[in-house]
C-alpha cells in the first residue's frame, strides 16, 4: 500500500510519502512512473498538502474532486473545516466518480474508502473512511508502513530539530521494513501559522 507521514515541530510542518505503487504482486517503482501520493490544494487559508492511502484509483479522483470544489467550500484550516469539507465532498464523489460506499453491513455510516493526512499552516490532520477527523499535536502516519514509521518518528522526535528530519526518519523506516513502500520519497514543508506570525 504505502507509507505517508505528517509531522509538526519547532514551527515547521512536514508531509512525506514513499513513491511505490503495487498492483497485487506487481510493483511499479518511481523509476517507471511518477508515483506521487501527495498533492497540493489552494484554499483561502493558504496551501494544503494532501497525502492518502488506499486503492490507486483514489489518487486522481480525490485530486480532481478537490480541485473542482469552489474555494469558499474547500476549507482545511481546522478540524471542523476538514470534517465539513469532506462531508460535502462525499456525495460529489458518489455522484460524479461512482464511489462505492459499502464496506460491511454493520457500517454506521457510508464509507469514503480512504485514509488521508493533511498538512497546512494551521496543523496536521488525519481523516478516515467515515469522515472521522483527528488533529495531531506531533506526528502521525497512514498506510501499510505506518507502524514502522510511527516507531521511528517516536524515537526521533525528541532529538531531531525539524519536522522534516522526523518525517524523513518515518519514511525511511516504512520503506526499509514494509514491502509495499519504497524510496525515493516526496516531502514538503511549510511554516506553522504561529511561526509566520512571529516574524
Amino acid at each position: 500500500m504505502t507509507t505517508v507521514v505528517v509531522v509538526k515541530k519547532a514551527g515547521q510542518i512536514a508531509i512525506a510519502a514513499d513513491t511505490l505503487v503495487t498492483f497485487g504482486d506487481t510493483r511499479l517503482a518511481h523509476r517507471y512512473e511518477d508515483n506521487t501520493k501527495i498533492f497540493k490544494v489552494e484554499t483561502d487559508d493558504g496551501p494544503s498538502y494532501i497525502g492518502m492511502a488506499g486503492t490507486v484509483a483514489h489518487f486522481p479522483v480525490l485530486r480532481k474532486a478537490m480541485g473542482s470544489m469552489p474555494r469558499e467550500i474547500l476549507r482545511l484550516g481546522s478540524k471542523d473545516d476538514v470534517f465539513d469539507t469532506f462531508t460535502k465532498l462525499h456525495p460529489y464523489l458518489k455522484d460524479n466518480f461512482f464511489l462505492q460506499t459499502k464496506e460491511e453491513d454493520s457500517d454506521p455510516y457510508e464509507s469514503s474508502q480512504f485514509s488521508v493526512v493533511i498538512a497546512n499552516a494551521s496543523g496536521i490532520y488525519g481523516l478516515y473512511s467515515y469522515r472521522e477527523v483527528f488533529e495531531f499535536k506531533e506526528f502521525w502516519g497512514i498506510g501499510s508502513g505506518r507502524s514502522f514509521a510511527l516507531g521511528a518518528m517516536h524515537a526521533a522526535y525528541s532529538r531531531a530539530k525539524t519536522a522534516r528530519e522526523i518525517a524523513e526518519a518515518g519514511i525511511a523506516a516504512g520503506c526499509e521494513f514494509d514491502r509495499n513502500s519504497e524510496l525515493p520519497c516526496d516531502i514538503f514543508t511549510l511554516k506553522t501559522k504561529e511561526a509566520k506570525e512571529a516574524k
Side-chain angles (χ1 to χ4, degrees):
M1 208 158 73
T2 193
T3 304
V4 187
V5 300
V6 286
V7 183
K8 179 180 178 182
K9 183 170 185 177
Q12 185 183 67
I13 289 176
I15 184 169
D18 80 291
T19 54
L20 177 68
V21 170
T22 56
F23 304 93
D25 292 332
T26 303
R27 296 162 45 93
L28 182 60
H30 184 70
R31 172 183 169 190
Y32 300 104
E33 207 259 335
D34 184 17
N35 298 328
T36 186
K37 298 174 184 177
I38 300 171
F39 63 92
K40 182 180 177 181
V41 295
E42 291 290 342
T43 71
D44 289 342
D45 300 319
S48 288
Y49 291 92
I50 315 290
M52 56 183 311
T55 180
V56 175
H58 288 321
F59 294 91
V61 166
L62 191 60
R63 185 175 47 80
K64 290 280 192 181
M66 293 186 84
S68 67
M69 291 180 79
R71 282 179 77 142
E72 62 271 12
I73 293 175
L74 183 61
R75 302 193 58 82
L76 302 168
S78 72
K79 191 174 174 178
D80 284 341
D81 284 348
V82 171
F83 175 81
D84 291 343
T85 294
F86 278 86
T87 299
K88 291 171 185 163
L89 187 62
H90 183 75
Y92 185 74
L93 293 173
K94 286 172 44 179
D95 295 343
N96 296 283
F97 295 94
F98 315 107
L99 174 70
Q100 293 291 337
T101 61
K102 189 168 176 112
E103 289 183 15
E104 303 289 333
D105 288 335
S106 60
D107 285 351
Y109 299 98
E110 289 184 352
S111 172
S112 292
Q113 305 281 0
F114 50 71
S115 300
V116 169
V117 288
I118 300 165
N120 58 47
S122 71
I124 54 176
Y125 306 93
L127 174 101
Y128 290 88
S129 61
Y130 301 123
R131 288 154 309 282
E132 58 267 54
V133 180
F134 299 88
E135 183 175 2
F136 303 110
K137 294 180 180 179
E138 296 180 347
F139 59 85
W140 195 247
I142 58 172
S144 55
R146 167 188 71 248
S147 297
F148 304 115
L150 289 173
M153 291 187 296
H154 175 73
Y157 197 85
S158 61
R159 70 175 191 275
K161 289 185 171 64
T162 68
R164 183 184 183 99
E165 291 174 69
I166 300 159
E168 287 172 342
I171 291 296
C175 292
E176 182 72 23
F177 297 107
D178 175 47
R179 68 180 179 170
N180 295 313
S181 301
E182 183 175 291
L183 293 172
C185 73
D186 291 320
I187 186 162
F188 301 93
T189 60
L190 58 159
K191 291 182 180 176
T192 63
K193 190 184 302 180
E194 296 81 14
K196 287 179 181 178
E197 290 169 355
K199 276 194 154 185

